[in-house]
Each structure stands twice: as structure tokens, then as C-alpha cells.
Amino acid sequence: MSEAVLGLSVSRSEPAQPRLEPVQRIGNEAHGRIVLRGLLAIATLTPPQAALLVTDVIDQLELVRGRDGYPILRDQAVTVSDRGQLAIDRTGSVASWHEVDDAVAGLLRNIATNCRDRALADRLDESIDRTTDLADLARRVRGAVAPELDPSTVGRTRCQLAELVSATRGRTLADDRVVTDRANSQGPPAPAAGSSLAPKGWSPPLGNPWHRKRRRLSRRRGVLGLMTILLLAGAVWAAPGAWSELRRGWDTVLHPVNPSEQNHISPVSPPPPAPDADQENSPTAQGTAEAGPVRTGLPGHAGPITRVTATFANGECSTGQPCTMRVDVHVDPAANVASVTWHVSVYDRCSGAVHPGNDVTMPVPPGGQQVYGITSVVLPRAPALAVAGLTSAPAAAASEPAFVPAENATC
């Protein structure tokens, strides 16, 4: 009992962290939103980004709790807008905190686990384990993420989250785009109603579509009728010959007239000649040829670039279809690289043709060890392809090729 009282007194003595931004409700009217789970599956957050999303969760829970009760958290209800703000849609509510505390803790741990800094996840996990209600959770969580939040850089962190949302949705933000509040924007003016010479209340007569459909011959019936006519014509044309062959064979088997005649029915066509052993083993006879290797002409690491990887962002790609690729570039943090420029090239392993993509430039945060980007390329129609990521600045390096459909594909 004394330990419980002592723990309660310590939790109340912790100073409350001030809010960095005014809390506002993000409703269904916000456009360009994606589910938080989908963003975390592709993007890797920085500590300030993860801390800002954790703070948004607490703010939205407090706001919804003050109006509608504790919300029921589902995967589709927690989203991030194209302004970098986290929102919780109200799909249901409960009155007791113990019915949603596990879901809230799991949501906060998922955000912290996706962060590059393990220390933030440890601090957040330690603060969650000792909470008793929403007020206690809000006080402890804000204290755990406070070292990662700087009031002077909150706006820039919001812009970075907005860029992650746009990149995940397959769009590219312009360099001069600023996340602005469009809540007070006005819609386009309604078109003016034009004058009419028709009397008020008059409407044009509508024909009965039932009789029109009955008189119109559908395309499916026309195709079936044409196929039936062709089949009947073919049967009529082949019937006399088939009947003559059948009668001659029947008479030959049961009622032979000339004993010198061969008492068997000749085959319709002679069997094909057996191929030689050399022809069976040749690639031409099998109809397959081994696809050629992929030569990018660049090393796997060069200069401050330590490693380059290219993977499929959506799991797999098919020839002749758009393909979304994720390129990760690892750099030496001691080199203080400002930005990295890379592009994606598609290699035809049968013809040897190379299809380079457009250059993409990504900034490297100070002391950063890795940057990544997502881009889409259209794969040509070929039986064996490979996709690789190549950097051009600050050094030239290439990733291992990703094969479509597989490494052992044939031409």
C-alpha cells in the first residue's frame, strides 16, 4: 500500500510538459490521408518525427476523450494527413480506460519501434508500463519524448512527415511546397443557373427502355449465333466424307469383299519422325536460352557511400507493368554528405538493352547514416529483366540487381 501511494505521489510530482502546438480535431474532411500502419511499413522515422507522432496520439486521445469518451482504436482509424498531422477517426467509444489501454500502448510502441533511435523506444516503453489512466499516460509519455522535441523545429518536422506521406502515396512534393492550413479556404463558386424557354415544371419525355432493349440484338447473342452457323456449316461440309470413311471402315472390318485387301484402317496421318539425341539436347529444340548476366559497371561502394540496396516496395513486380522500387543509400556519417543523387536502371537480360530512369536527389541529415527514396518505373515486356539502383553523387556506386521475374529466368 505504501509503495502504491509513493508511486502515485512521484507521478504527480512530475512537471507537465507544455504543448508545442494548439490541439485541433482532424476529421474526415482532411484529404490525402494514409493509414499509419502503411506509413510505418515503408518509412523509417527519425527521433523527432516519432516523438511528434506520439505527441499527436496523446493530444487526439485527450481531445476525443473530452467529447466522446475513449475511442476504439482500429488500424484504419489512425491516419496521417498530407500536412503531417496524425488523426484518430471515431469508429466507436467505450467508457472505461482499461478497455483501450492495451491498444493505446501497442500504438505508441509501434511508432517508437519504427524509430532509428532505440533509446526513445526504451524510455517510452518504461513510461507506459507504470501508467494508471489517460492523464497519467499523457504526463509520462510527454516527459519521455520531450528530449527529442525542439519547439523551433516542429514546423520542419511536420513538413518532413508530409513529404513521407506524399512519397508513400506515389507523389513528389515540389521544392517550394509549404504545409499550410486550408481550413478557411472557400470552394469554387456555384455556376449560375441559365434561362430556359420551357414552361416551369416541364421535363422532356422519356422513352420506355424496355421495348428498345427487346428490339436491340445484343453482341453476345450475335457472336453465339455466328458461331452456331459456322459449326453447322462445318458439320454439313464434313458429314459426307466422315460418313463415307466410317462406312468403308465398317465394311472392311466386318464384311471384307477382297481378301487381298489389307484388313485394317489406315491412320489419318503418319506418326512424326523421332528426333535425334543431339537435337533434343540443343537449346533451339528446347526453345529456351539462358539469360545474360547484369553488368552495371559500378562497384558496390565508393567514397562516402558504403552500400546501396534496391528492393521492391510492393513485394513483387511484373514485366510490362509499373514497378515501385525503394533505394537505400548508406553513407559514412563522418563524411558530412549533404545530399545523395541516384536513379533506377532497368536491364533487359535477353537483348542487353539498358533503360535508365530519372535522377532523384535526397538530402542527408547531419550525422545521418542512411537515406532512402521510392520511385516508380515502367518495366518493358521482356522474359528476363533486372532492376538496380545507381548513385552519381557524391560517388558512383550500384546495388545488387533485383530480378524480374527470377534470377534463373530464360529468354
Side-chain angles (χ1 to χ4, degrees):
M1 181 68 182
S2 61
E3 294 177 356
V5 174
L6 181 59
L8 181 61
S9 62
V10 171
S11 63
R12 292 180 177 176
S13 63
E14 294 178 358
Q17 297 294 332
R19 289 188 174 91
L20 302 176
E21 297 175 321
V23 183
Q24 57 181 347
R25 181 72 175 270
I26 308 298
N28 294 330
E29 68 275 4
H31 300 286
R33 300 189 300 171
I34 64 171
V35 180
L36 175 63
R37 182 179 294 274
L39 176 64
L40 297 181
I42 297 178
T44 301
L45 303 177
T46 61
Q49 294 171 359
L52 193 57
L53 288 180
V54 168
T55 306
D56 285 350
V57 172
I58 298 301
D59 293 340
Q60 292 299 316
L61 286 175
E62 291 180 337
L63 185 62
V64 175
R65 171 66 182 92
R67 298 179 179 180
D68 308 322
Y70 297 107
I72 299 177
L73 298 181
R74 294 185 176 92
D75 291 342
Q76 301 297 329
V78 184
T79 58
V80 183
S81 68
D82 58 357
R83 287 181 277 178
Q85 295 177 334
L86 185 140
I88 299 177
D89 296 337
R90 184 178 179 273
T91 59
S93 62
V94 295
S96 175
W97 165 251
H98 297 289
E99 298 183 32
V100 297
D101 56 352
D102 292 337
V104 173
L107 175 61
L108 297 177
R109 287 191 176 98
N110 287 338
I111 298 175
T113 305
N114 187 265
C115 178
R116 302 173 184 173
D117 188 4
R118 182 61 185 174
L120 176 61
D122 295 339
R123 294 198 308 269
L124 189 64
D125 188 70
E126 182 180 356
S127 64
I128 292 175
D129 291 339
R130 300 181 297 169
T131 56
T132 58
D133 54 11
L134 179 58
D136 190 19
L137 175 69
R139 180 171 56 256
R140 293 182 181 277
V141 167
R142 287 196 178 99
V145 302
E148 306 296 343
L149 292 177
D150 187 0
S152 62
T153 60
V154 169
R156 184 174 60 183
T157 306
R158 288 285 185 199
C159 293
Q160 293 173 356
L161 290 173
E163 292 176 357
L164 289 178
V165 172
S166 298
T168 305
R169 299 179 66 231
R171 300 184 304 174
T172 304
L173 286 176
D175 294 337
D176 56 345
R177 178 172 179 178
V178 179
V179 180
T180 57
D181 186 6
R182 295 191 292 269
N184 298 324
S185 63
Q186 299 180 356
S195 60
S196 175
L197 298 178
K200 184 177 181 181
W202 179 88
S203 59
L206 299 177
N208 190 352
W210 175 256
H211 301 288
R212 183 169 63 252
K213 290 184 179 179
R214 291 183 60 185
R215 292 194 300 268
R216 183 181 301 170
L217 182 63
S218 65
R219 181 178 299 178
R220 181 177 180 182
R221 290 186 177 181
V223 173
L224 291 177
L226 181 60
M227 292 177 62
T228 303
I229 294 174
L230 293 176
L231 289 176
L232 290 177
V236 171
W237 177 78
W243 176 256
S244 178
E245 290 291 333
L246 180 62
R247 184 175 181 180
R248 186 164 60 91
W250 185 265
D251 292 340
T252 302
V253 173
L254 299 180
H255 307 289
V257 178
N258 189 2
S260 62
E261 239 180 75
Q262 295 182 359
N263 194 13
H264 71 279
I265 301 176
S266 60
V268 178
S269 60
D276 298 337
D278 296 338
Q279 295 181 355
E280 292 181 355
N281 297 329
S282 63
T284 305
Q286 297 177 0
T288 60
E290 184 178 358
V294 179
R295 296 185 177 89
T296 60
L298 297 176
H301 58 87
I305 297 179
T306 59
R307 184 162 61 96
V308 182
T309 59
T311 56
F312 300 116
N314 294 333
E316 61 181 6
C317 290
S318 303
T319 59
Q321 300 293 331
C323 179
T324 304
M325 299 295 299
R326 169 172 173 165
V327 178
D328 292 76
V329 181
H330 300 261
V331 298
D332 185 3
N336 294 325
V337 178
S339 62
V340 175
T341 302
W342 53 269
H343 69 275
V344 174
S345 294
V346 181
Y347 298 87
D348 191 337
R349 301 175 61 194
C350 295
S351 64
V354 181
H355 306 277
N358 298 328
D359 288 340
V360 178
T361 301
M362 298 293 295
V364 180
Q369 301 180 4
Q370 175 189 0
V371 293
Y372 72 93
I374 299 175
T375 185
S376 295
V377 295
V378 179
L379 300 180
R381 294 188 178 274
L385 298 174
V387 185
L390 291 80
T391 64
S392 57
S399 67
E400 291 293 333
F403 297 98
V404 178
E407 183 176 1
N408 56 353
T410 57
C411 297

